[in-house]
Amino acid sequence: MQREVLRAFRFALDPTQDQAEAFTRHAGSARWAFNHALGMKAAAYRQWRREVQELVGQGVPEAEARKRTRVPVPTKPEIQKHLNRIKGDSRLGGLPKGVLGPERPCPWWHEVSTYALQSAFVDADRAWQNWLDSLRGARAGRPVGFPRFKKKGRSREAFRLHHNVKQPVIRLASYRRLRMPVLGEVRLHESAKRLARLVDRGQAVVQSVTVTRGGHRWYASVLCKVTTELPERPTRRQREQGRVGVDLGVGHLAVLSRPLEPPDAASAFVARPCHLRKAEHRLAKAQRTLSRTQRGSARRGRARRRAARLRHDVVTRRSTVLHTMTKQLATRFAEIAVEDLDIAGRTHADREEPGHRMKRKAGTVRAVVDASPGELRRQLMYKTTWYGSTFAVLDRGWPSRRTCSACGWQDPRLTLADRTFHCDNCTLTVDRDVNAARNIARHAVTIADHPVAPGRGETQNARRASLGPTGPRAGRQEATKREDTGPPAGTVPPQRSDPLTLFTPIRPDHQAPGRYGPAGQ
């Protein structure tokens, strides 16, 4: 089945010194434009708060004051029109002699592409809307806080350029050169033959390009609308392999319920490369060198680039391993099942006993971050649609490690130190992680059959509530990653949970936020 999908092609760039300076200039202008737009929105929000407080001071109930107060929050068109009136022009000099007025905010606008500023305004609108949607519980995923200003040296250097697809300006001049507005032709570090052939055949249309800096390199992500053939069902090879359960952990990157290579049983255990631990010594040395330098010195700049390059190498190696593994899973099996892990809880510090076993906890957190189970799940979710396989998720509260994969008996005495599962009911003896992977493969629920909260594939909205209908489990506390410590359940396997009935929708008791200022703040 042919479908149009958005797909990004990422290339490393080899810019000249002048082009690298132009990249930095565009990234700085995009950061300034985002802060400018966010500042105007925050000013409108503060004015709305002041007017609400004035009405409350006059004896008006707060709920009524929120409904009566109307302060429009400017969006991209208004912000852009206002900037065009006050931006100035460095080519014409400053203000005319004898004319008093505010300082022109961006007289350098003609040095960068206008699309870099416009895309930053769009990003500010999206950040503001995400915060509003999160306040009223309409956005899937984790809660989103108030948008923050971007600071030079702390935020990532990036900018995005658009063009008219009917009169394309962003295009490949050759297999090794990418043309962008204002910036001209930039040499690619790798070949773009695959993208060029898609464009020549009319199967891909370039929509935009995002230029980002990672470590010592600049990267260009070319977003294209691609007409591709998406398989409607798995291949014969995938159907023969069937469903596989993937148990993610820190001892191994993943343990599979069945091996990747059927003759080799050891291929069910995917080793964790430990990229961060291998680079710890060099990173620590680079950070010590950086801490001894003086701010603003050239030596500090070299030390900072050295530390950034080492961290970028770790990220690149980790990404390569994850992409290789997820593609193997998506192309070899008909269905991939994983467990809904509480990754944020695993990497969160213990608030009750902050000084208790901190060294051990810090090592566990580093191992979880280095394994990146959340990124692995994200890649599996979209790659399964590319290669005809399906994706399934096991409920977070299901005791996969304590339950026997053969008969369903639960071991209440199993601890983290026990690496082998022994079933007292059917005498099964198997590796603990393999047993968990088999349970995941057997009891996971296919996402395609049970739609969850809309948005970006999350199972909960910002208030950690289901957006689907309520069920028999409505009113219960949210399930967390835990193991059942109750008595053995006998020979009957535990019932799996329906993700649609896990959580109770929480209705906010305040007015839903809107364009005229968020209520409840």
Side-chain angles (χ1 to χ4, degrees):
M1 178 180 63
Q2 282 196 348
R3 290 180 54 188
E4 282 190 349
V5 297
L6 291 177
R7 183 169 297 183
F9 297 83
R10 189 167 185 256
F11 306 103
L13 303 177
D14 285 335
T16 63
Q17 183 65 29
D18 293 340
Q19 289 174 341
E21 293 177 358
F23 288 166
T24 304
R25 190 159 52 248
H26 277 73
S29 64
R31 181 180 63 251
W32 178 90
F34 179 88
N35 292 339
H36 176 75
L38 182 57
M40 294 185 64
K41 294 175 183 294
Y45 171 67
R46 288 193 296 267
Q47 181 181 353
W48 177 82
R49 291 291 301 269
R50 285 194 300 267
E51 295 184 6
V52 170
Q53 294 300 326
E54 290 177 1
L55 292 178
V56 172
Q58 297 173 6
V60 180
E62 185 174 357
E64 181 65 22
R66 293 175 182 273
K67 294 180 181 179
R68 290 168 54 180
T69 305
R70 292 291 184 269
V71 178
V73 177
T75 56
K76 174 185 176 295
E78 292 87 2
I79 296 173
Q80 186 172 350
K81 291 179 181 178
H82 177 265
L83 181 62
N84 289 338
R85 293 194 300 265
I86 66 172
K87 60 186 178 182
D89 194 337
S90 60
R91 297 171 295 184
L92 303 178
L95 294 174
K97 185 176 181 180
V99 176
L100 299 179
E103 183 182 357
R104 300 308 186 188
C106 59
W108 37 259
W109 60 270
H110 56 86
E111 300 178 6
V112 298
S113 174
T114 182
Y115 292 109
L117 305 178
Q118 295 181 20
S119 61
F121 295 154
V122 174
D123 293 341
D125 287 351
R126 184 182 298 111
W128 189 265
Q129 190 61 42
N130 288 343
W131 173 58
L132 295 179
D133 292 342
S134 181
L135 277 179
R136 61 173 177 257
R139 184 181 188 275
R142 300 177 61 183
V144 177
F146 190 86
R148 292 181 295 181
F149 292 97
K150 296 183 178 181
K151 183 179 179 181
K152 182 178 180 180
R154 297 295 298 272
S155 60
R156 190 175 188 181
E157 292 184 274
F159 61 93
R160 187 170 67 254
L161 303 178
H162 299 269
H163 71 156
N164 185 359
V165 295
K166 296 182 179 180
Q167 298 177 354
V169 181
I170 304 172
R171 62 181 185 272
L172 288 171
S174 65
Y175 289 164
R176 295 296 295 271
R177 290 194 174 274
L178 176 65
R179 177 181 290 275
M180 293 179 282
V182 179
L183 299 171
E185 293 185 6
V186 183
R187 180 176 173 81
L188 304 180
H189 189 71
E190 52 196 316
S191 176
K193 182 185 293 186
R194 180 187 175 192
L195 174 59
R197 291 182 174 178
L198 288 175
V199 173
D200 293 340
R201 291 196 296 262
Q203 298 178 353
V205 179
V206 177
Q207 303 291 315
S208 65
V209 59
T210 303
V211 180
T212 58
R213 185 171 187 171
H216 63 294
R217 283 201 176 279
W218 287 93
Y219 295 90
S221 295
V222 184
L223 182 65
C224 302
K225 184 180 291 185
V226 181
T227 303
T228 183
E229 187 76 24
L230 293 181
E232 298 182 359
R233 59 192 182 94
T235 62
R236 184 179 66 178
R237 177 188 178 188
Q238 290 174 323
R239 292 195 298 270
E240 290 175 354
Q241 293 283 31
R243 174 186 268 206
V244 62
V246 183
D247 180 65
L248 307 177
V250 295
H252 292 84
L253 180 62
V255 177
L256 311 181
S257 60
R258 55 178 62 195
L260 280 172
E261 302 293 341
D264 185 12
S267 61
F269 297 86
V270 182
R272 184 166 64 90
C274 303
H275 299 295
L276 184 60
R277 186 168 62 185
K278 293 177 181 177
E280 274 183 345
H281 177 70
R282 289 179 296 165
L283 280 172
K285 184 177 179 180
Q287 288 296 139
R288 285 195 298 268
T289 303
L290 178 62
S291 64
R292 297 190 188 103
T293 58
Q294 185 177 0
R295 290 184 179 272
S297 63
R299 183 168 171 262
R300 185 177 183 86
R302 291 193 297 268
R304 177 180 54 80
R305 289 191 293 271
R306 167 65 176 169
R309 180 167 184 169
L310 290 174
R311 293 189 179 277
H312 179 66
D313 290 344
V314 172
V315 173
T316 303
R317 295 190 182 101
R318 182 190 298 132
S319 177
T320 301
V321 171
L322 292 179
H323 276 289
T324 302
M325 175 187 169
T326 52
K327 184 175 181 179
Q328 288 180 348
L329 292 174
T331 54
R332 297 191 182 190
F333 297 95
E335 190 167 5
I336 298 95
V338 299
E339 191 174 10
D340 186 15
L341 298 176
D342 185 13
I343 302 172
R346 290 189 173 192
T347 56
H348 199 277
D350 194 346
R351 295 183 178 180
E352 297 180 358
E353 297 178 329
H356 184 58
R357 297 183 300 174
M358 286 301 295
K359 185 175 181 180
R360 181 177 179 182
K361 293 176 183 177
T364 304
V365 169
R366 280 196 299 268
V368 173
V369 172
D370 195 20
S372 301
E375 174 64 15
L376 192 146
R377 171 177 170 173
R378 186 192 70 85
Q379 293 182 13
L380 283 175
M381 289 187 67
Y382 73 82
K383 289 186 180 181
T384 49
T385 61
W386 288 2
Y387 301 111
S389 51
T390 55
F391 187 71
V393 178
L394 180 66
D395 173 28
R396 183 176 295 183
W398 210 93
S400 58
R401 285 172 175 77
R402 292 182 180 272
T403 306
C404 177
S405 58
C407 65
W409 178 81
Q410 293 187 22
D411 185 0
R413 299 175 297 274
L414 191 69
T415 63
L416 291 176
D418 301 327
R419 303 313 306 169
T420 304
F421 182 86
H422 301 278
C423 181
D424 295 343
N425 185 60
C426 65
T427 67
L428 174 69
T429 300
V430 67
D431 183 270
R432 170 196 178 106
D433 296 332
V434 173
N435 179 71
R438 292 176 181 175
N439 282 324
I440 294 172
R442 178 173 299 178
H443 300 285
V445 179
T446 304
I447 287 184
D449 297 336
H450 296 270
V452 292
R456 300 177 182 174
E458 300 290 345
T459 58
Q460 303 158 5
N461 64 5
R463 295 182 178 274
R464 304 193 67 80
S466 171
L467 295 184
T470 58
R473 294 189 60 175
R476 295 191 182 184
Q477 187 178 3
E478 173 211 350
T480 57
K481 177 63 181 175
R482 62 181 180 12
E483 302 290 353
D484 193 359
T485 56
T491 59
V492 180
Q495 298 294 323
R496 64 190 182 196
S497 302
D498 188 347
L500 290 177
T501 61
L502 287 181
F503 310 103
T504 305
I506 302 176
R507 298 184 180 277
D509 54 357
H510 54 76
Q511 178 190 357
R515 183 185 175 190
Y516 296 99
Q521 286 295 313

